[in-house]
């Protein structure tokens, strides 16, 4: 009964979110509550939900202050040189921007932490995508692919769990699949090229002039043309128009159009303040570099680092109360949208874990593995690992399902280490940035401005292809037999 309820809850959740029949927030909260009531856990409901909220609270605190921190830095122009550099190198070509996104993600994701990878890459690249009028699903999708492959590193969550669950070391689990990981990195670059080419063609069809922006050497991208229409263009027109054209129009009571002048245009008015001082830009850069280093070195817990970093950045960049309040008001919506998703995911995982639905689901899954599959179990584990990321939390799979699968495989003469290698090719590696069971997924979709269902529909087949490519690479290099 608990296993059936758990599988049904996940299935209905995915169906509702991917078909957009219900918002992710509502589905994450009400579906597990309904499952708990049906399963007879009404008396424990409050404790179960509170337990789940407590587990995701540090992540929620971290993302709230991280969004505020990076939003402040974007407003301060910290990423403008990077944006200008990317636009000049790419010459307004969406294909080059997409490939650059993959390369940047692969580099940033070396720390093995999905949350920080999404925070850094999306904050840096979203303005570029908006400037060019590119589909934000391309950004979230390519970042998903790169971060998924790099989550296989020995210090990443899935590999660490696999080693701990089966009492293996890195040389037994990670080293043999390193060549397969190389296949995965190559596929991510190929996939980003294909996605970029498709996006280039889409924008070219919308605008006969070709790419939305053509930035030449020595020319600031703010002086470029208006980006082509896209799913995000209307939301970012003000940010992408040339300075000379930022004169809004409004309808009068008689239906006539009148021009609203920008600050500094009227006679006798003072021009807007000059560009930020060089020392302030340098301070922001040094503070951000120090914050990233501390994140990688785990000097303090991530929430504490972002709380302190934002407080310092806010005081230096906006020293007055009025300025600080204005920044908080400006970005409050973004913070609320992302953090509410994370806490809603806490309700889901709290109920599924506390009612032991996840444990029962793991046992049910193992029980249906046919004996004839025993000698081919590593391949089956590799191929099914990525889709099962949408069903099992990493702890439930690696500490509940994997040990039983490894023991079963050992009965057929298969080394348990081979099952562990197969698992890390997809389970919560290529699959984690699509799973509603991981809080970092909501950081990615929330900061990119896309819905979970759209993100899953857009990138699922590409992420699954990554697992298939790495599985083929593992077979070719002998990480496990067919």
């Amino acid at each position: 009964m608990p296993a059936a309820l758990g599988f049904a809850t996940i299935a209905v959740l995915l169906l509702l979110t991917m078909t957009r029949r219900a918002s992710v927030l509502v589905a994450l909260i009400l579906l597990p509550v309904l499952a708990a009531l049906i399963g007879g856990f009404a008396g424990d409901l409050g404790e179960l939900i509170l337990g789940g909220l407590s587990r995701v609270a540090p992540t929620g605190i971290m993302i709230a202050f991280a969004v505020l921190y990076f939003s402040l830095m974007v407003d301060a122009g910290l990423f403008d040189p990077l944006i200008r550099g990317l636009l000049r190198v790419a010459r307004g070509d969406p294909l080059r921007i997409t490939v650059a996104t993959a390369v940047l993600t692969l580099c940033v994701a070396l720390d093995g932490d999905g949350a920080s990878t999404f925070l850094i890459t999306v904050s840096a690249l979203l303005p570029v995508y908006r400037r060019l009028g590119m589909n934000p699903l391309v950004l979230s999708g390519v970042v998903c692919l790169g971060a998924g492959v790099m989550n296989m590193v020995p210090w990443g969550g899935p590999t660490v769990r696999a080693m701990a669950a089966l009492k293996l070391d890195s040389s037994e689990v990670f080293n043999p699949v390193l060549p397969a990981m190389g296949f995965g990195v190559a596929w991510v670059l190929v996939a980003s090229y294909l996605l970029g080419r498709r996006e280039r063609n889409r924008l070219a069809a919308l605008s006969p002039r070709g790419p939305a922006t053509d930035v030449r050497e020595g020319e600031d991208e703010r002086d470029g043309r208006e980006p082509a229409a896209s799913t995000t263009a209307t939301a970012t027109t003000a940010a992408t128009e040339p300075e000379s054209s930022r004169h809004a129009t409004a309808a009068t009571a008689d239906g006539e159009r009148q021009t609203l002048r920008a600050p500094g245009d009227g006679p006798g008015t003072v021009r807007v303040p000059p560009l930020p001082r060089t020392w302030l830009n340098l301070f922001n850069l040094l503070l951000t570099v120090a914050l990233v280093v501390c994140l990688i070195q785990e000097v303090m817990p991530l929430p504490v680092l972002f709380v302190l970093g934002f407080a310092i950045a806010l005081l230096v960049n906006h020293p007055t109360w009025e300025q600080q309040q204005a920044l908080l008001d400006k970005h409050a919506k973004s913070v609320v949208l992302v953090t509410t998703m994370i806490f809603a995911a806490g309700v889901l995982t709290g109920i599924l874990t506390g009612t032991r639905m996840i444990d029962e689901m793991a046992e049910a899954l193992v029980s249906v593995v046919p004996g004839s599959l025993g000698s081919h179990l590593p391949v089956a584990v590799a191929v099914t690992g990525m889709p099962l990321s949408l069903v099992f939390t990493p702890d439930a799979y690696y500490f509940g399902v994997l040990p039983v699968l490894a023991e079963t495989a050992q009965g057929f003469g298969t080394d348990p280490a081979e099952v562990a290698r197969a698992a890390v090719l997809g389970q919560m590696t290529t699959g984690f940035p699509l799973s509603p069971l991981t809080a970092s997924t909501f950081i990615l979709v929330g900061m990119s401005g896309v819905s979970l269902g759209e993100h899953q529909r857009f990138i699922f087949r590409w992420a699954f292809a990554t697992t298939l490519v790495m599985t083929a690479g593992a077979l070719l290099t002998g990480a496990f037999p067919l």
Side-chain angles (χ1 to χ4, degrees):
M1 177 67 170
L5 271 177
F7 282 118
T9 301
I10 298 296
V12 175
L13 171 66
L14 295 175
L15 178 65
L16 291 178
T17 55
M18 295 184 73
T19 59
R20 306 182 72 173
R21 299 293 179 87
S23 72
V24 177
L25 182 68
V26 171
L28 285 172
I29 295 174
L30 295 186
L31 284 178
V33 168
L34 179 61
L37 294 176
I38 295 174
F41 299 99
D44 302 322
L45 192 59
E47 184 179 347
L48 295 173
I49 293 176
L50 187 60
L53 292 175
S54 299
R55 280 191 288 273
V56 300
T59 302
I61 295 169
M62 179 201 70
I63 188 57
F65 284 92
V67 169
L68 288 173
Y69 179 87
F70 284 109
S71 297
L72 186 156
M73 290 303 169
V74 169
D75 290 349
L78 175 65
F79 300 108
D80 283 357
L82 174 63
I83 296 169
R84 285 194 293 269
L86 284 175
L87 289 173
R88 287 194 177 104
V89 170
R91 293 183 175 274
D93 186 356
L95 189 154
R96 296 187 184 185
I97 291 294
T98 308
V99 174
T101 301
V103 173
L104 180 62
T105 303
L106 291 169
C107 294
V108 175
L110 275 169
D111 67 350
D113 180 44
S116 62
T117 298
F118 300 152
L119 288 168
I120 295 170
T121 53
V122 176
S123 297
L125 295 173
L126 185 59
V128 178
Y129 278 69
R130 287 177 169 171
R131 190 69 53 83
L132 296 176
M134 293 175 65
N135 189 345
L137 285 170
V138 176
L139 172 60
S140 64
V142 174
V143 171
C144 163
L145 296 179
V149 171
M150 297 308 293
N151 207 35
M152 290 173 58
V153 293
W155 49 90
T159 306
V160 167
R161 288 180 174 90
M163 292 188 296
L166 301 184
K167 297 178 176 57
L168 303 170
D169 58 38
S170 177
S171 63
E172 296 174 285
V173 177
F174 177 72
N175 291 2
V177 296
L178 187 56
M181 184 178 177
F183 278 77
V185 170
W187 165 250
V188 168
L189 296 176
V190 171
S192 65
Y193 174 85
L194 296 175
L195 289 169
R197 187 175 64 178
R198 189 172 70 180
E199 186 67 5
R200 174 207 276 172
N201 294 337
R202 184 187 72 85
L203 291 175
L206 292 174
S207 174
R209 296 175 299 179
T213 303
D214 184 15
V215 181
R216 296 175 177 83
E217 188 66 30
E219 180 182 281
D220 194 303
E221 77 280 2
R222 291 186 180 85
D223 297 326
R225 294 190 301 272
E226 199 171 308
S230 73
T231 56
T232 58
T234 56
T236 59
T237 300
T240 57
E241 286 181 342
E243 193 68 37
S244 59
S245 65
R246 289 182 186 168
H247 299 291
T249 59
T252 62
D254 299 328
E256 298 177 353
R257 307 290 292 182
Q258 66 178 7
T259 300
L260 302 178
R261 295 185 175 274
D265 286 348
T269 57
V270 180
R271 286 283 177 180
V272 293
L275 293 173
R277 290 165 293 186
T278 303
W279 73 265
L280 189 57
N281 291 334
L282 180 60
F283 172 82
N284 288 335
L285 176 62
L286 293 176
L287 178 62
T288 302
V289 170
L291 178 61
V292 172
V293 171
C294 290
L295 289 173
I296 296 174
Q297 297 294 326
E298 297 182 355
V299 175
M300 293 182 182
L302 267 63
V304 175
L305 289 172
F306 275 112
V307 167
L308 294 176
F310 173 69
I312 295 171
L314 183 63
L315 179 62
V316 174
N317 287 269
H318 302 280
T320 67
W321 180 87
E322 291 80 7
Q323 293 173 338
Q324 295 169 2
Q325 196 64 28
L327 182 128
L328 293 174
D329 290 340
K330 178 179 180 182
H331 299 293
K333 179 181 177 181
S334 299
V335 173
V336 170
L337 287 175
V338 179
T339 54
T340 51
M341 289 294 183
I342 291 174
F343 285 112
V347 175
L348 173 67
T349 56
I351 290 177
L352 292 182
T353 303
T355 58
R356 293 186 57 81
M357 287 186 197
I358 284 285
D359 297 332
E360 296 289 338
M361 290 163 65
E363 293 177 9
L365 177 67
V366 173
S367 67
V368 299
V369 176
S372 60
L373 194 62
S375 59
H376 306 290
L377 206 53
V379 176
V381 169
V383 173
T384 59
M386 184 269 165
L388 288 178
S389 298
L390 305 179
V391 179
F392 293 103
T393 64
D395 287 338
Y397 185 89
Y398 282 101
F399 294 117
V401 176
L402 184 63
V404 180
L405 291 176
E407 185 177 349
T408 302
Q410 192 172 21
F412 289 90
T414 300
D415 187 352
E418 294 177 353
V419 180
R421 296 167 200 160
V424 299
L425 295 181
Q427 220 295 324
M428 282 302 171
T429 49
T430 59
F432 94 91
L434 295 94
S435 175
L437 303 176
T438 55
S440 56
T441 300
F442 296 99
I443 298 176
L444 174 61
V445 298
M447 294 192 68
S448 300
V450 300
S451 72
L452 177 63
E454 290 174 330
H455 172 66
Q456 290 173 329
R457 288 196 303 272
F458 181 83
I459 206 63
F460 179 89
R461 61 184 180 275
W462 297 91
F464 189 44
T466 307
T467 290
L468 296 180
V469 168
M470 291 196 295
T471 301
L475 290 171
L476 289 174
T477 57
F480 50 79
L482 181 61

